[in-house]
């Protein structure tokens, strides 16, 4: 930015591996701020602050627990040491005196993002407001010039939960040795990642040890086939039936068209599969049991949204490629 870092917050930690602190919303997202200068420098309009909704989705990473690494109810919500937190976040239980720490030193969440819990509070784009009780898709906070929202930081463990919020004036730097920001990127000109047969591979749900996906793309007919299976990290007895949502469900298959970065598939549940079965048994006479939408972020990550009314199952889970063998092929085809 061409200006020295303000020392009004104290010369606590400055360096290439440390997060920027002593900033406020105006200096980052306001006119002439960092995001505007960054976009000007790169000749784009992509970069911005995340909305509060985007930030929480990224922090939860497909989980519904208090932290993306679990509820951690066995530990104090204050500053006592906690082994369950140690691998994932900086907070007053392992930082004394409390202050900025190098980024990326703790384990990432299931989306591969570091430091979503702990280290600094992060400024988001939204103004502060009460949440509505009604369902909403990609909501933003209220307009106006009120307080802005900070997420994900704080000294005590309680403030580092996925749901914790803090607010402050958009021009305030007081005590901002604990406040930084994270950059988000919008998709320029509506361009999206393109599904190709480089997607063909084994994928898994990083939030659990027991779900795998086998992807097959048929580019000639713009169609995709997916087998979703459950498995154990230890081999069970041969006569034990695997579980997908309820006993007796081992395999689930889905097929349908794709376009751009998204595949919209029809689900068929197959019943009675056992761990030694070479193939899933016949489906329910070809009757569709639900729907599955897979949206790929790139050649290595995506999101599955599913609805299976017959089993009372629905949800959203992240997926990652198990091995990187086909990534170069996928990227070459997607960029062709």
């Amino acid at each position: 930015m061409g200006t020295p870092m303000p020392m009004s917050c104290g010369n606590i930690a400055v360096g290439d591996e440390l997060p920027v602190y002593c900033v406020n919303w105006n200096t980052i997202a306001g006119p002439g701020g960092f995001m505007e200068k960054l976009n000007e420098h790169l000749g784009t309009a992509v970069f911005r602050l995340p909305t509060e909704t985007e930030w929480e989705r990224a922090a939860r990473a497909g989980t519904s627990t208090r932290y993306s690494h679990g509820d951690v109810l066995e530990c104090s919500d204050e500053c006592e040491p906690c082994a369950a937190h140690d691998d994932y976040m900086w907070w007053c239980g392992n930082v004394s005196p409390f202050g900025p720490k190098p980024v990326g030193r703790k384990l990432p969440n299931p989306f591969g993002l570091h430091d979503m819990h702990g280290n600094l509070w992060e400024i988001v784009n939204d103004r502060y407001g009460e949440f509505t009780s009604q369902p909403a898709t990609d909501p933003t906070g209220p307009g106006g010039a009120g307080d802005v929202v900070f997420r994900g930081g704080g000294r005590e463990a309680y403030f580092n939960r996925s749901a914790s919020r803090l607010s402050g004036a958009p021009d305030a730097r007081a005590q901002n040795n604990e406040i930084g920001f994270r950059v988000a990127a919008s998709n320029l000109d509506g361009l999206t990642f393109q599904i190709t047969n480089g997607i063909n591979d084994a994928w898994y749900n990083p939030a659990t040890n027991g779900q795998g996906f086998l992807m097959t793309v048929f580019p000639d007919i713009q169609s995709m086939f997916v087998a979703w299976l459950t498995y154990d990290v230890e081999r069970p007895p041969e006569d034990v039936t695997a579980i997908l949502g309820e006993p007796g469900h081992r395999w689930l298959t889905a097929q349908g068209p794709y376009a751009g970065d998204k595949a919209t598939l029809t689900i068929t549940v197959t019943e009675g599969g056992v761990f030694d079965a070479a193939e899933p048994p016949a489906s329910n006479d070809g009757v569709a049991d639900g729907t599955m939408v897979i949206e790929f972020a790139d050649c290595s990550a995506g999101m599955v949204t599913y609805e299976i009314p017959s089993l009372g199952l629905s949800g959203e889970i992240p997926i990652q490629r198990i091995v990187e063998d086909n990534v170069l092929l996928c990227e070459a085809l997607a960029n062709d």
Side-chain angles (χ1 to χ4, degrees), residues 248-304:
H249 290 278
R250 159 73 168 159
W251 295 81
L252 177 155
T253 59
Q255 57 187 340
Y258 68 86
D261 63 349
K262 183 182 295 185
T264 304
L265 313 177
T266 299
I267 290 175
T268 302
V269 174
T270 56
E271 299 182 355
V274 295
F275 282 96
D276 278 358
E279 298 179 357
S283 64
N284 300 331
D285 299 322
V287 177
D289 291 285
T291 58
M292 174 190 295
V293 175
I294 306 178
E295 190 166 359
F296 292 91
D298 52 38
C299 289
S300 297
M303 182 68 67
V304 173

Side-chain angles (χ1 to χ4, degrees), residues 194-201 215-219 258 321 326 329-330 333-334:
Q194 301 292 306
I195 294 173
T196 72
N197 54 353
I199 290 293
N200 294 353
D201 218 333
M215 308 276 188
T216 306
V217 173
F218 300 95
Y258 68 86
R321 194 186 289 265
N326 285 341
L329 170 63
C330 175
L333 293 172

Side-chain angles (χ1 to χ4, degrees), residues 185-246:
S186 295
N187 198 22
L188 187 61
D189 296 330
L191 296 177
T192 60
F193 170 78
Q194 301 292 306
I195 294 173
T196 72
N197 54 353
I199 290 293
N200 294 353
D201 218 333
W203 298 64
Y204 77 110
N205 174 5
T208 176
N209 287 327
Q211 295 177 353
F213 299 80
L214 297 177
M215 308 276 188
T216 306
V217 173
F218 300 95
D220 292 343
I221 57 174
Q222 293 283 288
S223 182
M224 176 181 285
F225 176 85
V226 175
W228 179 7
L229 59 146
T230 58
Y231 59 89
D232 280 354
V233 292
E234 294 183 3
R235 182 179 177 84
E238 293 183 2
D239 58 348
V240 172
T241 301
I243 297 172
L244 175 65
E246 65 178 35

Side-chain angles (χ1 to χ4, degrees), residues 26-106:
N26 286 349
T27 61
I28 301 304
F34 175 77
M35 295 299 179
E36 182 178 300
K37 295 290 187 181
L38 177 62
N39 283 312
E40 288 177 358
H41 178 66
L42 297 175
T44 184
V46 168
F47 298 104
R48 57 180 174 82
L49 285 175
T51 67
E52 188 173 10
T53 302
E54 290 171 333
W55 189 96
E56 185 164 331
R57 180 177 180 182
R60 290 191 178 280
T63 68
S64 58
T65 48
R66 300 200 309 160
Y67 308 87
S68 63
H69 52 277
D71 283 319
V72 195
L73 298 175
E74 69 273 21
C75 292
S76 165
D77 280 337
E78 304 296 332
C79 294
E80 287 77 5
C82 174
H85 287 322
D86 257 342
D87 287 339
Y88 293 92
M89 72 184 197
W90 299 110
W91 88 112
C92 60
N94 59 8
V95 177
S96 182
F98 189 77
K101 301 294 290 184
V103 301
R105 298 291 177 87
K106 297 298 184 179

